[in-house]
Amino acid sequence: MTELPLSQDQIEELNAAQADALDDDYASLGRQLARRGIAIKAIRDGVAGFSVAIPSWGAGRGGTRFAKFPIAGEPTNIHEKLADCAVVNQLSRATPRVSPHFPWDKVSDYAALREEAESLGLGFDAVNSNTFQDQPGQPHSYAAGSLTANDVAVRQQAIDHNIECIEIGRQLGARDLTVWIGDGTNFPGQQDLTRSFDRYLDSASQIYRALPDDWRMLIEHKLFEPAFYSTVISDWGSSILAAQELGPKAKCLVDLGHHAPNVNIEQIVARLHRFGKLGGFHFNDSKYGDDDLDSGSINPHQLFLVFNELIEAERNNPGDFAPAYMIDQSHNVTDPIESMIASAESIVAAYAKALLVDRAALHLAQERNDTMMAFQTLRQAYRTDVTPILAKARAEAGGAIDAIAAYRASGWRDRKAQERTKVGLGAGIV
Ligand code: RM4
Ligand code: MN
Ligand code: MN
């Protein structure tokens, strides 16, 4: 039995007040697209079938290494995080899965946790391991690395933790393990760059062997931080080399924030898919580094170009196309629920715009070396305001036409501020 957190009647009531305006905008966009030979219904169906997972750790306020400023009513455990994620999904109807992080989300009964999520209309997505922090009571420290540490006992502890995550994930119905490690160095000479990668391959192969047949191991690269001189899995090159060494169940995960500024991420996406190694995404945006800003808030055009490559990739080789779409960002100055609603909308909008690209015209222009027409074909799709399509798809699925307005009208956060334990001051981690 699904028990959605907000009043569905209230959402319907708010939608009713906006329905005429939306119908008007939708009909107008439908006529515009028809002139371009596009059936709006096909795009709306595509949007309705699209979803992106949200991170359990995104439900709380993030921070920087300087400070974290909690808000009243913030969730402090996985149960409260699930409830907030259910709010995001109820309003957006685009985020039906939650990606958990361990040990942060540890509980004693995972079957019960899975049922709890299901009752909220949620499932679980990729499980994330954490060997970038020490945990209370842990026998060995990750201060000098985890999967790549010199000390075999440290490596074993990190391997065991990842295998435990797979076991938890099985109980939750997940099928991907995402592995991001902070291992690396801060000084030239601190470690042998080749040997540390070899240690990674050795440890990762032991995790790989523990994967069930229908699971994938998603290797997430990151340019820098916490290591500032060299990171072991720093880029898509190291990631794909590791994935190729490990075997077919190992794939690469692209976190948009984990690249140097101005890197052509869409080209990386095309390369990874071409070699069967595109595993998934962590969507976010950035300006200077791994800023973990909200998806589409800085560079929505890049997001569109990534989805444009994804659609090409799927059409070129549909058999091998199953990227895991996830949000991974840090909500330091907003209500995380509002950020996740807005980010999911940006991601779906980028996808919808990519669906609008006239592929035949694009390919013909490319064939003829007609650079300007190729570019204009993308531009025409990117310029289109797809908001009415998204709103229609949401409302039809029971979501809100204006999701943030509906969230504010619900009074959810104020109610939770009365009920939930107050979050103490502390350092933010993501
Ligand atoms: C890292 C990375 C990982 C996430 C952690 C919390 O920068 O993006 O995906 O697990 O942050
Ligand atoms: Mn990430
Ligand atoms: Mn990150």
Side-chain angles (χ1 to χ4, degrees):
M1 206 358 226
T2 301
E3 302 152 26
L4 296 178
L6 303 181
S7 151
Q8 195 62 33
D9 288 347
Q10 190 185 25
I11 295 172
E12 305 297 337
E13 210 176 289
L14 291 167
N15 281 354
Q18 293 163 327
D20 287 349
L22 174 58
D23 285 344
D24 199 24
D25 292 348
Y26 184 79
S28 158
L29 178 57
R31 288 192 295 275
Q32 192 196 124
L33 293 179
R35 287 194 291 276
R36 283 156 51 184
I38 300 170
I40 195 167
K41 181 70 171 58
I43 308 298
R44 182 168 143 193
D45 289 346
V47 163
F50 182 89
S51 62
V52 57
I54 47 180
S56 66
W57 62 101
R61 263 287 189 112
T64 66
R65 66 185 192 277
F66 299 104
K68 170 177 167 167
F69 300 101
I71 52 168
E74 196 179 321
T76 55
N77 56 53
I78 182 64
H79 310 287
E80 294 173 354
K81 288 175 190 174
L82 283 178
D84 285 11
C85 290
V87 170
V88 176
N89 188 47
Q90 186 179 0
L91 295 168
S92 72
R93 301 289 165 155
T95 61
R97 292 173 314 281
V98 176
S99 189
H101 218 313
F102 297 101
W104 295 337
D105 297 328
K106 262 193 161 177
V107 294
S108 54
D109 184 347
Y110 291 102
L113 191 68
R114 188 174 178 176
E115 271 174 30
E116 181 181 334
E118 275 164 13
S119 77
L120 290 163
L122 299 170
F124 284 100
D125 210 273
V127 287
N128 298 258
S129 60
N130 176 348
T131 61
F132 47 86
Q133 278 178 328
D134 285 346
Q135 305 299 330
Q138 179 186 295
H140 305 284
S141 170
Y142 295 130
S146 61
L147 292 176
T148 77
N150 285 318
D151 186 335
V152 66
V154 177
R155 292 206 298 278
Q156 194 58 51
Q157 177 180 280
I159 294 165
D160 291 345
H161 167 65
N162 275 279
I163 294 175
E164 186 193 1
C165 286
I166 297 172
E167 190 37 51
I168 296 172
R170 281 169 90 137
Q171 297 178 57
L172 293 178
R175 289 223 300 232
D176 291 323
L177 168 72
T178 299
V179 183
W180 173 71
I181 54 167
D183 297 31
T185 71
N186 281 19
F187 288 89
Q190 186 182 336
Q191 269 177 20
D192 182 297
L193 300 181
T194 302
R195 285 194 201 110
S196 52
F197 189 61
D198 283 341
R199 288 193 292 270
Y200 177 83
L201 291 176
D202 186 67
S203 300
S205 69
Q206 296 184 53
I207 300 167
Y208 186 91
R209 279 201 290 278
L211 285 175
D213 288 345
D214 57 348
W215 271 59
R216 300 182 300 180
M217 177 170 170
L218 305 180
I219 301 171
E220 180 177 1
H221 59 272
K222 182 176 181 184
L223 184 64
F224 77 105
E225 199 201 20
F228 290 106
Y229 169 63
S230 72
T231 290
V232 181
I233 305 295
S234 55
D235 54 14
W236 74 278
S238 306
S239 177
I240 197 170
L241 288 171
Q244 283 173 337
E245 283 285 306
L246 290 170
K249 290 187 278 182
K251 309 275 180 188
C252 305
L253 183 137
V254 178
D255 181 314
L256 296 196
H258 290 186
H259 305 89
N262 302 327
V263 161
N264 188 335
I265 299 175
E266 55 273 24
Q267 189 172 22
I268 295 172
V269 171
R271 288 288 179 278
L272 290 176
H273 180 66
R274 165 67 181 76
F275 291 90
K277 287 299 184 190
L278 182 65
F281 288 86
H282 277 179
F283 291 115
N284 54 51
D285 217 331
S286 68
K287 178 76 179 161
Y288 301 104
D290 184 26
D291 307 313
D292 277 309
L293 301 175
D294 285 15
S295 301
S297 63
I298 305 292
N299 196 347
H301 190 235
Q302 180 187 53
L303 200 55
F304 161 73
L305 294 174
V306 164
F307 275 104
N308 180 52
E309 287 310 320
L310 285 167
I311 288 174
E312 287 288 327
E314 184 173 19
R315 296 194 179 174
N316 291 336
N317 189 359
D320 195 26
F321 185 83
Y325 295 131
M326 274 175 276
I327 289 176
D328 177 15
Q329 51 192 36
S330 182
H331 311 117
N332 303 352
V333 295
T334 53
D335 180 323
I337 289 181
E338 295 190 1
S339 267
M340 290 196 280
I341 288 171
S343 300
E345 179 156 21
S346 296
I347 293 162
V348 184
Y351 171 66
K353 288 179 184 208
L355 285 179
L356 292 178
V357 171
D358 183 340
R359 301 266 147 213
L362 178 66
H363 296 156
L364 189 65
Q366 289 170 345
E367 202 61 38
R368 291 179 174 161
N369 299 313
D370 190 342
T371 309
M372 184 49 73
M373 272 310 134
F375 171 61
Q376 289 302 324
T377 306
L378 292 185
R379 202 15 64 102
Q380 186 187 42
Y382 180 67
R383 256 198 322 248
T384 312
D385 180 5
V386 293
T387 315
I389 301 179
L390 271 55
K392 268 278 189 198
R394 269 199 306 275
E396 197 165 71
I401 291 176
D402 184 339
I404 291 188
Y407 170 66
R408 292 200 170 188
S410 77
W412 173 263
R413 190 64 76 194
D414 290 342
R415 275 204 306 286
K416 297 299 133 183
Q418 306 304 315
E419 296 164 21
R420 291 176 176 170
T421 321
K422 214 170 166 297
V423 186
L425 291 178
I429 103 109
V430 287

